[in-house]
Amino acid sequence: MKSLHLQLLPWLLALALAIAFPLASSPRAWGADGLVTVQELVERAEEYDGQEVVIEGEAVGDVMIRGEEAWITVNDDPYSRRSLEEGGEFAGLSNCGIGVVLPRKEAEKVKVLGSYKHHGDRVRVRGIFHRADPSHGGDTVIEGRFLEVVEPGYPIKHPFSYGKLAVGLSLALVALFLGSRLRKKKEASVF
C-alpha cells in the first residue's frame, strides 16, 4: 500500500503543477483583482485578448452615446492622477488611454469628463479586452460591463502668469519699435 502512494506521488505533483502553472501565468494573476494598466494591455495585447480585465483611470473627452451603448475614453497615464497644475511631475509627452464601450446606463454614471478645465471622474471599469474587435470596426477596445466612479472629477485652477504676460508685452513692444524703424527706413530710401 505504501509503495502505491509513492508511485502516485510524482503523478499527483505533475498534475498539481499542470493546473497551477496556467493559473499563475494568466493575465488575471498579474494584477490585484485583474487590475491592469493600459500600457500593459498595449504591450501584451495578444495575451490579454479576450480576457476579463479591470482598468482604472480618468474619463476624458466625451461620452458618445450610440443607442443602448456608449463610448468613453479612459486615460491612466501619470497626468490622470495629478496634473502639472496640481503639482504633478512632468512625465514626458505621454497620453495613455483606451476606448471603452459600455451599456449606456453604466456610462451615464460619469458626470465630469477630463479636459483643460476639468479633472475627469476617476473610474474603474471591468470588462473584456479585445485587441481587434470585429464588432466595433476592428478597434482595440474594452467591452465594459461595469463602471464605478471611484473619485469624482473637479475643476482645475490655472493660475494666471503675470511673468509670461510681461514677457509677451515686452516682445510686442520690441516688435512694434523694430517695425516702425524698418518702415521709416524704407520710406527714406524711396525718396
Side-chain angles (χ1 to χ4, degrees):
M1 187 71 168
K2 188 174 181 179
S3 65
L4 180 63
H5 288 151
L6 290 176
Q7 288 177 347
L8 289 176
L9 185 61
W11 292 104
L12 291 174
L13 286 174
L15 180 63
L17 287 172
I19 293 171
F21 183 73
L23 290 175
S25 63
S26 73
R28 291 180 191 182
W30 294 337
D33 197 23
L35 185 64
V36 296
T37 65
V38 173
Q39 186 173 350
E40 285 177 298
L41 292 175
V42 170
E43 290 175 356
R44 302 170 109 164
E46 284 188 38
E47 295 174 53
Y48 281 107
D49 191 27
Q51 299 291 318
E52 184 177 85
V53 297
V54 177
I55 62 167
E56 187 175 309
E58 178 186 13
V60 298
D62 296 302
V63 175
M64 298 182 294
I65 296 174
R66 305 286 185 265
E68 290 304 311
E69 291 183 333
W71 285 80
I72 64 170
T73 300
V74 177
N75 274 6
D76 72 347
D77 56 54
Y79 303 116
S80 72
R81 291 177 192 87
R82 195 169 187 193
S83 69
L84 294 174
E85 287 79 8
E86 297 170 305
E89 296 284 325
F90 182 71
L93 300 175
S94 67
N95 189 359
C96 204
I98 191 166
V100 177
V101 60
L102 294 155
R104 180 180 182 159
K105 66 178 176 129
E106 293 296 310
E108 288 174 345
K109 294 176 182 175
V110 177
K111 301 298 181 203
V112 180
L113 292 158
S115 65
Y116 177 74
K117 295 182 177 180
H118 293 91
H119 191 100
D121 289 344
R122 187 159 191 82
V123 297
R124 185 175 299 140
V125 176
R126 178 179 297 274
I128 304 297
F129 172 73
H130 297 285
R131 183 173 60 131
D133 188 0
S135 64
H136 293 102
D139 288 343
T140 299
V141 67
I142 293 177
E143 188 177 354
R145 295 179 178 160
F146 306 103
L147 180 142
E148 174 187 5
V149 175
V150 293
E151 183 181 322
Y154 51 87
I156 296 174
K157 295 179 182 173
H158 296 278
F160 187 77
S161 173
Y162 289 101
K164 289 179 182 176
L165 176 64
V167 169
L169 288 175
S170 299
L171 290 174
L173 287 174
V174 169
L176 285 173
F177 174 74
L178 293 175
S180 131
R181 297 269 304 175
L182 184 63
R183 189 175 54 181
K184 285 181 183 178
K185 192 173 183 178
K186 279 186 178 180
E187 288 174 357
S189 68
V190 170
F191 297 108

